Amino acid sequence: MAPRLTSAAFAASGILFLAYIAVRPAGDDATAMASTAWVAGHAAAMAGFILLGLGMLGLHQVLGDRLSLRAAAVTWAGAGLTLPYYGAEDFGLNVIAQRSLRDQAPALMELAEQFRYGPVAVTMFAAGLLLLGVGAVMAAVSVWRTGVLARSSALALALGFALFLPQFFTPYPVRVAHGVLIFAGGIWLAAALVFPRARRAVA
């Protein structure tokens, strides 16, 4: 990937993760899950994970070291484990919630909880998010070591993905702040890739 395409992937990923938390309803009840906003928000996140993986591959092509290649591989593995859970949250829970509201059967929402906290599903989800955090941190270390880009340009993105799993256990305003952090991290790294004169500006 050309540096500009890599930059676009990181920028778009950051924008999509901000859209995810901005569009997604704050609640987790049937009304929220049955909404179009629920589907749109989670779809944005899924696209963000895919673009993050593409960005990591392009970043390796810019940096050219082994650590950035490993970061890309770990990120892809993390996205692969995370996306099935997000897909089920997006489409499966939406169908269950719509049926629950249409039939006035609140008990159907127990299926949502059974899915969310099923041992296999939640283990895959947690492992995927942990790998995404590890991949982002590895990429930040690679950026810092190589000095090809501004050394601090990947730190915010790494912090955002390192905190992706813990932020689920925080109040909604903190989750919004987390979305802003990932957005800022994606834009920051994208800018470092686009403007060569700024690449070495931060030692």
Side-chain angles (χ1 to χ4, degrees):
M1 291 174 63
R4 287 188 177 274
L5 288 177
T6 302
S7 172
F10 281 120
S13 180
I15 292 169
L16 286 165
F17 280 111
L18 180 60
Y20 161 53
I21 201 63
V23 172
R24 178 199 186 280
D28 282 334
D29 57 7
T31 302
M33 292 180 183
S35 68
T36 302
W38 179 273
V39 175
H42 284 79
M46 289 189 284
F49 287 126
I50 293 170
L51 287 171
L52 176 70
L54 291 173
M56 288 295 186
L57 178 60
L59 183 64
H60 164 64
Q61 293 174 332
V62 170
L63 302 180
D65 67 335
R66 290 183 179 179
L67 185 58
S68 61
L69 178 59
R70 292 169 183 165
V74 170
T75 299
W76 275 106
L81 288 171
T82 303
L83 284 171
Y85 192 97
Y86 261 85
E89 280 259 318
D90 194 7
F91 308 119
L93 299 193
N94 178 255
V95 170
I96 292 171
Q98 287 186 6
R99 184 63 178 268
S100 174
L101 293 175
R102 185 171 64 248
D103 294 355
Q104 297 184 353
L108 283 175
M109 293 307 297
E110 294 177 6
L111 295 174
E113 295 303 308
Q114 290 175 13
F115 155 69
R116 281 183 148 184
Y117 300 108
V120 176
V122 78
T123 299
M124 283 182 59
F125 179 60
L129 290 180
L130 288 172
L131 286 174
L132 285 166
V134 170
V137 169
M138 290 170 68
V141 172
S142 178
V143 169
W144 188 276
R145 285 180 178 176
T146 60
V148 175
L149 305 177
R151 288 184 172 179
S152 60
S153 58
L155 294 181
L157 193 67
L159 179 61
F161 279 96
L163 294 174
F164 212 109
L165 184 58
Q167 59 92 26
F168 282 110
F169 304 98
T170 63
Y172 195 73
V174 177
R175 296 189 62 184
V176 172
H178 177 259
V180 173
L181 175 62
I182 290 187
F183 165 74
I187 297 298
W188 189 0
L189 186 51
L193 286 156
V194 166
F195 302 108
R197 292 180 182 178
R199 291 182 182 178
R200 296 176 181 268
V202 180

